[in-house]
Amino acid sequence: MSAAVTSFQWFFWGYSLAFSHSSGRFVGNLENFGFRNVLARPSVGSEGIPDLLYAVYQGMFSSVTVALTTGAIAERGRMLPCVVFMFVWATLVYDPIACWTWNPSGWSENMGNLDFAGGTPVHIASGSAALAYSIMLGKRRGHGTHELNYRPHNVAHIVIGTVLLWLGWFGFNAGSALSANLRAVLAASVTNLSASVGGITWCLLDYRLEKKWSTVGFCSGVVAGLVCITPGSGFVPVWAAVFFGMAGASFANYATKLKFLLHVDDALDIFAVHAVGGLVGNVCTALFAADYIAALDGHTRIKGGWINRHWIQMGYQLADSFAGAGYSFVMTCIILFTMNKIPGLKLRASEEAEILGMDDAEIGEFAYDYVELTREVIPDLEGEAGNDNRYSDPAAYLHNDKPPAPPPMMDLRMFNHGAGSSAPPPPMPPPHMHM
């Protein structure tokens, strides 16, 4: 949904607000409203890239940023206000930050900030906004007690998602060279190395405490390494990626504890991995940016970072980072506070809906059939079998001397029945009993 809403917003006026040719220092104008005159004219990103291609490419960044931000609503946020928030937030927060960071007219770009692929517009902005959204929503029901299960719901899905992210990040970072040149190859190389080192680092940090080789920990470290290298991927030498991966994963790992200090329920650790990881990446870019790396594309000239003895670069990076974080956090709070006062746009779901679950309450569908099976089908069968509630009432197992019988065998006829027939369903066979 975030990709769909943000793609429309980007076409509607987002691209114009971020990358119009006659932009201001903070935000663009409506010169390209509805992709008007967005076709073959050279884009603000590169003379070799036409406007339309650049618009489609940059639209991916906007969509991903909004998706990261709205992960904060997990298990307690309503869908309708979240959809409205996607459009409003992209307009008032992402587009201005993207403009001042990447548009040649932007204040940060002109100041000398180095952000190759989205350390501030994507990661710091989304992480700060997710923190604000988590605060405005409040904690999930049962947070901090045994009532709320903190276990990942599907580790296989986490692995698949990480693999897709790892692959897609080459498009983010290497693609930001806007040409098939040596600088793009360099960006791909440091991206892969930082992700690898990040995964190993996080895994070792968790092993130090748990003595387990955590798959989820490895995946978290990979993402932290990817986040951290993002701003410097087109500016730093290959060997520097080792430091990016180690620093990004280490700081993000320890930053996951901040939510307990702040008493905030950041369910997906978006602030820790993306905001903190993005900040560390911007700082590392100030340390390791090299003029000869940027020049690999044949036309980019920078003064470099500390390895070029350009000490002021750290100030530029910090100014951009904290400006982006502060603007995103404050504006997100204002947007959410205002929306929550509008009838029909209350941010948080009711307690009843939260107990029922967002899948059922907001979407009306389940990710897994067994949820509906255990809620609807088995209790009905128990009622027909004489109100034997051993299948849906865990307490019944504790007070039953006989070994529990398996659930009644399912008969496909019970699902097929009713298509044009008014006859009662056939009787179910009796359950098989263990002797």
Side-chain angles (χ1 to χ4, degrees), residues 15 19 21 42-51 54 58 102-104 176-178 299-300:
Y15 177 70
F19 293 107
H21 289 265
S43 68
V44 298
S46 169
E47 292 183 357
I49 301 295
D51 259 341
Y54 192 65
Q58 284 292 342
W102 288 320
N103 195 305
S176 291
L178 301 178
H299 59 82
T300 300

Side-chain angles (χ1 to χ4, degrees), residues 27 36 79 87 94 98 108 112 114-115 121 127 153 186 234 242 284 288 330 333 367:
V27 70
R36 185 170 67 91
M79 190 70 177
F87 190 96
Y94 177 80
S108 181
L114 300 176
D115 193 337
H153 109 282
L186 184 282
V242 175
C284 288
F288 298 110
V330 172
C333 288

Side-chain angles (χ1 to χ4, degrees), residues 40-374:
R41 181 183 180 182
S43 68
V44 298
S46 169
E47 292 183 357
I49 301 295
D51 259 341
L52 185 59
L53 176 58
Y54 192 65
V56 172
Y57 179 66
Q58 284 292 342
M60 174 191 68
F61 286 77
S62 179
S63 297
V64 169
T65 307
V66 173
L68 291 173
T69 300
T70 51
I73 75 168
E75 298 187 329
R76 77 255 201 217
R78 293 181 60 228
M79 190 70 177
L80 175 60
C82 183
V83 171
V84 175
F85 171 82
M86 293 172 186
F87 190 96
V88 176
W89 189 87
T91 301
L92 299 181
V93 180
Y94 177 80
D95 294 342
I97 297 178
C99 178
W100 81 49
T101 302
W102 288 320
N103 195 305
S105 301
W107 68 264
S108 181
E109 170 76 8
N110 282 280
M111 175 181 66
N113 175 64
L114 300 176
D115 193 337
F116 193 66
T120 297
V122 177
H123 300 296
I124 292 179
S126 64
S128 301
L131 178 65
Y133 212 140
S134 299
I135 293 173
M136 298 298 288
L137 272 179
K139 299 177 182 179
R140 288 168 287 176
R141 182 179 182 274
H143 182 267
T145 71
H146 68 280
E147 186 177 351
L148 188 61
N149 188 354
Y150 288 97
R151 296 172 60 194
H153 109 282
N154 192 311
V155 176
H157 283 184
I158 294 173
V159 173
I160 293 171
T162 302
V163 170
L164 294 175
L165 278 175
W166 199 335
L167 176 63
W169 227 282
F170 290 111
F172 265 115
N173 291 357
S176 291
L178 301 178
S179 179
N181 52 37
L182 187 55
R183 194 181 186 194
V185 177
L186 184 282
S189 300
V190 297
T191 296
N192 189 63
L193 183 56
S194 180
S196 301
V197 174
I200 295 170
T201 301
W202 193 303
C203 203
L204 289 175
L205 288 172
D206 283 359
Y207 183 84
R208 175 179 58 91
L209 299 175
E210 305 292 339
K211 298 298 184 288
K212 302 289 185 182
W213 298 97
S214 170
T215 303
V216 176
F218 177 80
C219 291
S220 299
V222 167
V223 175
L226 291 169
V227 169
C228 191
I229 194 62
T230 293
S233 54
F235 298 115
V236 301
V238 175
W239 56 264
V242 175
F243 295 94
F244 275 82
M246 291 176 61
S250 298
F251 278 93
N253 181 287
Y254 286 107
T256 59
K257 313 301 187 293
L258 289 175
K259 62 185 178 184
F260 301 110
L261 296 176
L262 299 174
H263 302 287
V264 175
D265 184 12
D266 182 5
L268 304 181
D269 286 323
I270 304 169
F271 177 78
V273 175
H274 292 276
V276 174
L279 174 61
V280 173
N282 280 347
V283 170
C284 288
T285 300
L287 297 176
F288 298 110
D291 52 3
Y292 70 94
I293 295 296
L296 290 175
D297 60 7
H299 59 82
T300 300
R301 299 290 181 267
I302 64 171
K303 295 181 180 180
W306 282 19
I307 64 174
N308 288 129
R309 299 187 179 185
H310 186 230
W311 314 116
I312 192 62
Q313 191 62 47
M314 182 65 74
Y316 297 157
Q317 299 299 114
L318 291 175
D320 177 80
S321 299
F322 287 111
Y327 180 78
S328 178
F329 183 85
V330 172
M331 285 299 297
T332 302
C333 288
I334 293 173
I335 293 169
L336 293 173
F337 179 82
T338 304
M339 287 177 53
N340 202 42
K341 298 296 182 181
I342 300 174
L345 293 182
K346 183 179 179 181
L347 301 176
R348 180 150 185 161
S350 65
E351 184 176 11
E352 293 77 12
E354 198 171 344
I355 294 172
L356 189 63
M358 294 298 101
D359 282 359
D360 197 0
E362 289 288 314
I363 302 174
E365 298 167 345
F366 298 96
Y368 303 98
D369 287 340
Y370 74 82
V371 178
E372 189 171 12
L373 177 69
T374 55

